[in-house]
Amino acid sequence: SKIKELAILNLGYISFQLDGKYAVIKGKSIPLLCQALHDEVTEVRIAATKTLASLANVKKGKIEIMEEKAMEKIFELLSESEPKIILNAIQLISNVAEHPEAREFYKKALPKLEELKSNGELIKRFAQIAIDVITW
């Protein structure tokens, strides 16, 4: 729904600043955002991946995403047809994969990330960043 999409986007806007990231995490938003990755509305999934990518810039965000067992769903989003979801999922993987456990988990994404490099310059650039993080 539109209100869900806008609510998630607002959490993303709050999380652009570092203190906002911690406030959104402290507000227990990550479990709800991880649930939104399964939403049937494309715009809600776009907003959720974008906001989670922002929150995964900090260690606490990465850990909570891993604790929510969302890494498999994030991996599955690489096969979506919507380019914005793919791009956001790639950025989300890059951020979460800075954590050693997630880096190990996302090694299985390397073939898909290589394949995605043929999907235009922006996706190619971010897919390469994700590959570099995972193989670091």
Side-chain angles (χ1 to χ4, degrees):
S1 75
K2 192 66 176 173
I3 194 73
K4 189 187 290 187
E5 173 195 358
L6 294 173
I8 292 170
L9 286 173
N10 277 321
L11 290 173
Y13 300 142
I14 293 167
S15 75
F16 288 154
Q17 298 292 327
L18 186 60
D19 58 344
K21 286 183 199 320
Y22 288 111
V24 170
I25 292 167
K26 187 176 180 183
K28 305 202 182 306
S29 298
I30 288 181
L32 297 171
L33 292 166
C34 289
Q35 288 174 14
L37 296 175
H38 300 269
D39 201 278
E40 61 191 30
V41 178
T42 300
E43 291 76 14
V44 170
R45 292 193 313 279
I46 292 169
T49 52
K50 183 177 187 177
T51 299
L52 284 167
S54 175
L55 296 172
N57 276 316
V58 295
K59 184 177 179 181
K60 186 155 180 52
K62 295 176 201 337
I63 290 169
E64 284 200 26
I65 291 167
M66 292 181 342
E67 287 173 350
E68 286 299 313
K69 309 215 181 321
M71 292 194 303
E72 182 65 34
K73 180 59 182 176
I74 296 164
F75 169 69
E76 292 170 7
L77 292 174
L78 294 177
S79 297
E80 282 261 354
S81 59
E82 169 56 54
K84 291 176 186 172
I85 293 175
I86 295 169
L87 181 61
N88 293 345
I90 292 170
Q91 292 174 302
L92 179 50
I93 288 170
S94 294
N95 293 345
V96 176
E98 291 173 349
H99 190 284
E101 289 176 40
R103 185 177 309 125
E104 189 61 36
F105 178 88
Y106 282 120
K107 285 183 179 175
K108 72 179 187 175
L110 290 171
K112 183 65 178 176
L113 290 166
E114 283 291 344
E115 176 189 322
L116 288 170
K117 285 169 52 176
S118 64
N119 287 23
E121 277 306 307
L122 194 58
I123 287 180
K124 177 180 180 178
R125 183 164 51 99
F126 282 100
Q128 187 59 55
I129 291 168
I131 291 166
D132 292 345
V133 170
I134 295 165
T135 59
W136 177 72

